[in-house]
Amino acid sequence: MTAIAFIGLGNMGGPMATNLVKAGHAVTVFDLSADALAALEAAGAQVASSAIAAVQNAEIVFSMLPADKHVLGLYFGYAGADAKGIAGFIPKGALVVDSSTISAEAARELAQGLTAAGVRCIDAPVSGGVGGAKAGTLTFICGGDNADVEEARPLLECMGKAVFTAGAHGAGQVAKICNNMLLGVLMSGTAEALKLGIDHGLNPQVLSEIMLQSSGRNWTLEVYNPCPGVMDNVPSSNDYNGGFLVDLMLKDLGLALATAEQTNSSTPMGNAAAALYQQHSEQGFGKKDFSSIFKWFEQGK
Ligand code: NAD
């Protein structure tokens, strides 16, 4: 049986590691949060006393951390801190699967540093949110060597329903932020169109049905309508609680714009969505679901 280490047991990593355990795998876990560790122990995982202890005998290491600095800090040590990085403690030849959403640059730096330590690596950010992590229906968007993705595939399929390879190291992260930039644009545009109709006396449910059968059809109208009361069981009908946070969307839009700068790519729509989400977060919606951008339009000009 493959020896698995899993580091980062938050909203996403917790249920992902649980699904590996449920599939019958032996998983050694570590997180800085005692509560997160207790939840995984209750689910049947082996709790390690440190990140280094978790990876020392691992054949495959998963990480699911917030952002660049956490990932590079975990593997290579935090600048100015005593804590050592774990890279030198992972057995040579093992495979690291980093599923955090980080910059493509950081993903390449991770791959370079791990290669120097004799460890293989793929970036494997996910789409599908907390619901997908719990249900085991995530989409993995990988970057790195095909052989490494194929080696990881059976384990990824315990946590997700689709595994794609976008290209070399960092390409998984580029594909992921292209998708999320489009999502930010689609959600803002859908909220804008719905509010325009409402301002002219239209019923948002009827307008949504019309657009769903017309050329404005998109994912947000299909499964994630931002206008309260149009759909059951979505964050907009639960005071925008749960789901994908405004601040996480803002983080992904920031990554998209930084990536665009490197290639001088034009992203006026991404810029507009980022500016809207920035204002929305500053107005106190950072911890609400990203479909709450509808509230920004409700405030009027
Ligand atoms: P989270 O904040 O809930 O969890 C992060 C976990 O990492 C925490 O439990 C924290 O204690 C742990 N951690 C941080 N530094 C650590 C270290 N050095 N060692 C051990 N543990 C450490 O975040 P999340 O919602 O699970 O998101 C994780 C990643 O997935 C992010 O990059 C996010 O952008 C991405 N993502 C999130 C969603 C979502 O809907 N939440 C969807 C897709 C992708």
Side-chain angles (χ1 to χ4, degrees), residues 9 11 28 76 79 136 152 156 301:
L9 308 166
N11 291 322
T28 305
F76 306 126
L156 299 179
K301 276 208 264 187

Side-chain angles (χ1 to χ4, degrees), residues 50-294:
S50 69
I52 290 174
V55 301
Q56 258 165 348
N57 297 311
E59 291 166 274
I60 186 157
V61 177
F62 288 92
S63 47
M64 191 52 163
L65 303 179
D68 288 13
K69 65 175 182 190
H70 308 92
V71 174
L72 295 178
L74 171 73
Y75 285 96
F76 306 126
Y78 289 91
D82 290 338
K84 280 186 193 149
I86 62 172
F89 296 88
I90 302 172
K92 304 267 178 265
L95 175 63
V96 163
V97 178
D98 181 50
S99 281
S100 324
T101 301
I102 58 173
S103 68
E105 231 174 351
R108 288 183 209 114
E109 197 179 326
L110 177 66
Q112 250 172 22
L114 287 174
T115 304
V119 173
R120 294 169 297 134
C121 169
I122 57 173
D123 36 304
V126 299
S127 180
V130 177
K134 285 184 180 158
T137 56
L138 293 169
T139 297
F140 286 88
I141 309 167
C142 304
D145 291 349
N146 264 327
D148 293 339
V149 175
E150 288 314 311
E151 186 177 322
R153 182 184 287 277
L155 295 176
L156 299 179
E157 286 176 346
C158 297
M159 302 181 276
K161 63 171 174 20
V163 179
F164 291 104
T165 307
H169 291 122
Q173 298 292 352
V174 174
K176 156 85 189 178
I177 50 105
C178 286
N179 178 73
N180 278 28
M181 182 177 78
L182 178 59
L183 178 61
V185 168
L186 284 175
M187 185 57 89
S188 310
T190 301
E192 183 175 290
L194 284 169
K195 186 59 175 57
L196 177 62
I198 292 165
D199 288 347
H200 284 264
L202 272 59
N203 177 328
Q205 194 136 20
V206 174
L207 177 57
S208 294
E209 276 165 30
I210 291 169
M211 294 196 292
L212 262 175
Q213 299 303 325
S214 308
S215 44
R217 179 181 190 129
N218 70 73
W219 180 87
T220 72
L221 286 169
E222 283 167 3
V223 298
Y224 218 98
N225 198 297
C227 177
V230 173
M231 256 179 195
D232 293 332
N233 301 320
V234 289
S236 61
S237 294
N238 184 27
D239 197 22
Y240 298 105
N241 291 315
F244 181 49
L245 302 189
V246 164
D247 282 347
L248 282 178
M249 172 51 85
L250 198 48
K251 172 197 154 192
D252 289 358
L253 286 167
L255 285 174
L257 300 187
T259 306
E261 243 171 54
Q262 289 162 12
T263 42
N264 215 12
S265 308
S266 205
T267 53
M269 308 298 285
N271 288 338
L276 281 179
Y277 274 103
Q278 179 68 45
Q279 272 185 29
H280 191 51
S281 175
E282 283 166 9
Q283 287 165 0
F285 289 88
K287 304 295 173 227
K288 291 287 187 179
D289 178 72
F290 81 115
S291 62
S292 66
I293 198 69
F294 184 79

